[in-house]
């Protein structure tokens, strides 16, 4: 049985991995999957107290939704504006935290700003080579990796201090065509409005064709 300690400074992140998957080009959302290896370096069990900042906290990008968390640490998970928290005890030793979410972008570029309250001994950011191009002034390009037969580009850095923010830009993202956007809009319409919407599109095309022939 470990004696409790309420000082969150005993908790640190040994390594962090962030995988970016651009899987929703029409809705313009990027899915992200993160793995954190967390360590309690003391010989006591960390126990959150009544102070709101003295629980396990992890940052999420602006507009993040569809959060899913998996961990061996027992405790309630709750999402807030800037991230999520886990009201869990952390015994001495190493523990793993896995979570996924999606965040929005516009156009062909996205800027991902991530804060690491407990620092990170190592950080890697990966994405498929055909998803976009990764850039960061705080990270360096590393050797690509093959996962599941697919090639991923990699940015890496180390020695991230507690509370530091890291910015990663994703450029050359796919931009859906007008046809794809119209298809998405039609899919989101209630069934009873679909015939009217289809008629409106047809009328618009007929008017455009008439103007084109006139000139």
């Amino acid at each position: 049985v470990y004696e409790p300690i309420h000082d969150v400074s005993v908790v640190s992140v040994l390594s962090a991995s962030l995988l970016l998957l651009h899987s929703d080009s029409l809705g313009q959302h990027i899915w992200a999957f993160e793995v954190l290896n967390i360590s309690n370096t003391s010989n006591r069990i960390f126990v959150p107290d009544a102070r709101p900042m003295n629980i396990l906290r992890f940052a999420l990008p602006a507009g993040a939704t569809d959060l899913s968390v998996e961990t061996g640490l027992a405790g309630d998970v709750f999402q807030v504006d800037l991230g999520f928290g886990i009201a869990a005890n952390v015994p001495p030793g190493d523990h793993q935290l896995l979570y996924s979410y999606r965040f929005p972008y516009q156009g062909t570029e996205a800027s991902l700003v991530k804060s690491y309250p407990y620092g990170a001994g190592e950080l890697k950011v990966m994405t498929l080579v055909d998803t976009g191009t990764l850039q960061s002034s705080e990270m360096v390009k590393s050797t690509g990796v093959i996962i599941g037969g697919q090639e991923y580009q990699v940015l890496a850095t180390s020695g991230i201090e507690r509370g530091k923010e890291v910015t990663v830009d994703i450029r050359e993202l796919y931009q859906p065509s007008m046809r794809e956007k119209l298809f998405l809009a039609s899919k989101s319409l209630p069934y009873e409005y679909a015939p009217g919407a289809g008629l409106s599109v047809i009328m618009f095309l007929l008017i455009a064709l008439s103007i084109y022939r006139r000139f």
Side-chain angles (χ1 to χ4, degrees):
V1 178
Y2 299 106
E3 292 187 11
I5 185 172
H6 304 295
D7 185 358
V8 74
S9 66
V10 301
V11 176
S12 60
V13 172
L14 300 177
S15 64
S17 298
L18 168 59
L19 177 62
L20 298 172
L21 296 172
H22 174 220
S23 59
D24 188 0
S25 58
L26 290 177
Q28 294 212 288
H29 283 84
I30 297 177
W31 283 96
F33 177 73
E34 298 200 41
V35 179
L36 301 182
N37 291 311
I38 302 170
S39 178
N40 177 351
T41 56
S42 74
N43 58 1
R44 298 184 179 185
I45 183 171
F46 168 72
V47 178
D49 57 20
R51 291 173 292 176
M53 301 299 289
N54 208 42
I55 61 171
L56 294 179
R57 299 175 295 112
F58 303 94
L60 293 174
T65 57
D66 299 316
L67 174 67
S68 177
V69 179
E70 294 289 339
T71 180
L73 299 173
D76 295 331
V77 177
F78 52 92
Q79 187 171 355
V80 294
D81 290 342
L82 300 178
F84 68 96
I86 306 177
N89 299 339
V90 184
D94 298 341
H95 312 275
Q96 195 170 68
L97 172 67
L98 300 87
Y99 55 101
S100 63
Y101 54 88
R102 65 174 183 167
F103 63 95
Y105 73 94
Q106 292 183 349
T108 59
E109 297 183 1
S111 185
L112 177 63
V113 180
K114 285 282 296 174
S115 174
Y116 291 89
Y118 313 109
E122 296 179 349
L123 171 63
K124 289 185 178 179
V125 179
M126 299 178 287
T127 191
L128 287 167
V129 294
D130 57 357
T131 293
T133 302
L134 295 178
Q135 295 181 0
S136 175
S137 60
E138 298 141 307
M139 307 183 71
V140 297
K141 184 173 291 188
S142 183
T143 305
V145 296
I146 305 295
I147 303 176
Q150 295 181 301
E151 185 179 359
Y152 288 78
Q153 55 186 303
V154 181
L155 294 180
T157 189
S158 61
I160 298 177
E161 298 177 355
R162 299 176 77 92
K164 183 179 179 181
E165 288 187 344
V166 176
T167 301
V168 177
D169 295 321
I170 310 103
R171 304 186 186 278
E172 301 176 3
L173 290 166
Y174 177 72
Q175 176 69 21
S177 65
M178 181 58 68
R179 179 179 179 181
E180 291 171 318
K181 290 180 179 178
L182 288 173
F183 176 75
L184 177 65
S186 66
K187 293 284 287 184
S188 62
L189 281 174
Y191 176 77
E192 60 268 22
Y193 297 132
L199 181 60
S200 299
V201 172
I202 293 174
M203 291 298 295
F204 173 79
L205 293 176
L206 289 175
I207 293 172
L209 180 61
S210 175
I211 295 174
Y212 172 77
R213 287 179 173 177
R214 183 178 302 175
F215 285 94

